[in-house]
């Protein structure tokens, strides 16, 4: 059996277009995995407050053991149940970003100018991070093309895209490296980790570097499906939670060996 389950949240466990948004089979699958001693981490682009709210809103019958938020921060729960920094990763992450922004502002400005003049999107600079929201996927494709060009000029400067949202970041921090840090703290190796997600910001945890077992639901971005296939993973037919349940079923025989 695997030891750690890393799941994206929106579009992977939760389908906002369905009623109910999270299927009872998904809840049951999570409970069964927990009964087998598997630890569960939600690995999301949401902020800590936003994921806590999401777990409550969709009435998850169990809490994750860990949450990795904003595509880079690592939290565990303390004895009283509060979410707290796990190790010094988050403070190192904050410092790396503070230092990055000292030099990256002209590049961020360049992207923001493009967004305000060439698209219907807008800049974001708030508690959720520094980035952009586009009016459509097509617009975001154009913004990403510019980001690729701009990021090539500063090696530490990168971005994470989640559909029409984009967050600038330090290249060393992603859902993949945050997962690797959690695994290091828990002393769990790649061979015992399963990861699943549906969008571009999930790619760093789905390319096989940090989790041996990877999957994505049928509603995933084409680039995500390609990465998962290349890593020897499973592309589900079912969407969101149905795809998750399907993927766990697909791998369960291999895990029981
Ligand atoms: Mg998602």
């Amino acid at each position: 059996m695997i030891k750690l389950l890393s799941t994206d949240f929106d579009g992977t466990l939760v389908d906002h277009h369905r009623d109910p948004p999270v299927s009872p089979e998904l809840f049951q699958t999570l409970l069964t995995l927990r009964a087998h001693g598997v630890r569960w981490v939600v690995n999301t682009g949401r902020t800590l407050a936003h994921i806590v709210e999401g777990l409550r809103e969709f009435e998850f019958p169990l809490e994750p053991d860990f949450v990795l938020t904003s595509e880079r921060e690592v939290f565990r729960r303390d004895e009283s149940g509060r979410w707290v920094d796990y190790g010094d990763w988050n403070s190192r992450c904050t410092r790396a970003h503070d230092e990055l922004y000292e030099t990256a502002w002209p590049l961020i400005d360049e992207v923001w100018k493009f967004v305000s003049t060439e698209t219907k999107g807008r800049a974001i600079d708030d508690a959720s991070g520094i980035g952009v929201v586009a009016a459509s996927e097509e617009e975001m494709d154009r913004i990403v093309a510019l980001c690729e060009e701009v990021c090539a000029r500063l090696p530490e400067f990168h971005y994470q895209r989640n559909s029409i949202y984009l967050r600038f970041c330090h290249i060393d921090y992603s859902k993949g490296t945050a997962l690797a840090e959690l695994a290091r703290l828990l002393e769990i190796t790649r061979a015992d980790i399963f990861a699943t997600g549906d969008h571009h910001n999930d790619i760093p945890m789905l390319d096989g570097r940090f989790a041996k077992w990877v999957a994505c639901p049928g509603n995933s971005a084409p680039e995500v499906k390609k990465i998962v296939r290349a890593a020897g993973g499973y592309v589900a037919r079912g969407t969101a939670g149905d795809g998750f349940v399907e993927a766990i079923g697909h791998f369960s025989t291999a895990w029981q060996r």
Side-chain angles (χ1 to χ4, degrees):
M1 183 52 80
I2 52 158
K3 293 181 180 162
L4 183 63
L5 175 74
S6 172
T7 68
D8 172 46
F9 193 70
D10 301 284
T12 300
L13 302 185
V14 178
D15 183 343
H16 296 274
H17 307 293
R18 265 172 68 168
D19 185 25
V22 187
S23 71
E25 290 80 13
L26 182 142
F27 289 147
Q28 192 50 55
T29 301
L30 287 175
L31 288 165
T32 304
L33 288 166
R34 172 154 296 170
H36 282 89
V38 178
R39 289 195 266 189
W40 171 38
V41 54
V42 172
N43 199 336
T44 179
R46 288 185 180 223
T47 60
L48 179 60
H50 196 198
I51 187 61
V52 167
E53 183 189 304
L55 288 159
R56 199 178 311 124
E57 178 184 356
F58 299 109
E59 300 176 339
F60 276 70
L62 70 170
E63 285 256 9
D65 299 282
F66 307 95
V67 286
L68 308 183
T69 63
S70 308
E71 291 139 359
R72 56 193 186 219
E73 291 172 328
V74 181
F75 293 95
R76 65 171 177 86
R77 268 178 307 169
D78 69 7
E79 300 68 29
S80 62
R82 278 181 323 139
W83 291 106
V84 293
D85 289 348
Y86 194 0
D88 66 350
W89 176 265
N90 295 351
S91 53
R92 282 189 279 142
C93 175
T94 302
R95 203 159 51 237
H97 283 87
D98 288 348
E99 283 169 18
L100 172 70
Y101 294 140
E102 277 175 27
T103 44
W105 271 117
L107 304 177
I108 294 169
D109 253 342
E110 189 176 330
V111 175
W112 279 355
K113 277 203 186 87
F114 175 84
V115 169
S116 68
T117 55
E118 306 292 328
T119 78
K120 293 190 178 71
R122 61 179 171 81
I124 302 173
D125 183 1
D126 59 27
S128 70
I130 297 172
V132 170
V133 55
S136 67
E137 293 270 357
E138 180 277 327
E139 250 187 31
M140 187 50 89
D141 288 342
R142 289 194 287 127
I143 296 166
V144 161
L146 174 64
C147 286
E148 283 292 316
E149 198 188 306
V150 162
C151 288
R153 287 182 239 148
L154 181 63
E156 310 88 80
F157 190 47
H158 202 55
Y159 64 89
Q160 298 294 336
R161 174 187 183 175
N162 185 10
S163 79
I164 58 165
Y165 297 91
L166 180 145
R167 179 184 282 129
F168 296 113
C169 66
H170 190 291
I171 196 159
D172 291 346
Y173 294 87
S174 68
K175 288 193 179 196
T177 58
L179 175 60
E181 173 66 3
L182 177 66
R184 187 189 70 79
L185 290 163
L186 296 172
E187 298 182 6
I188 292 175
T189 60
R190 174 186 169 276
D192 292 321
I193 302 174
F194 169 88
T196 183
D198 70 316
H199 232 289
H200 295 92
N201 59 343
D202 295 301
I203 288 175
M205 69 160 164
L206 298 177
D207 60 11
R209 276 182 300 160
F210 306 116
K212 176 179 175 180
W213 312 94
V214 294
C216 64
N219 54 296
S220 300
E223 295 83 355
V224 172
K225 293 182 178 176
K226 202 169 140 194
I227 292 284
V228 166
R229 282 197 190 98
Y234 182 73
V235 177
R237 282 174 299 276
T239 57
D242 290 345
F244 170 76
V245 173
E246 187 185 317
I248 298 296
H250 172 81
F251 286 125
S252 60
T253 321
W255 294 344
Q256 271 146 30
R257 273 191 215 119

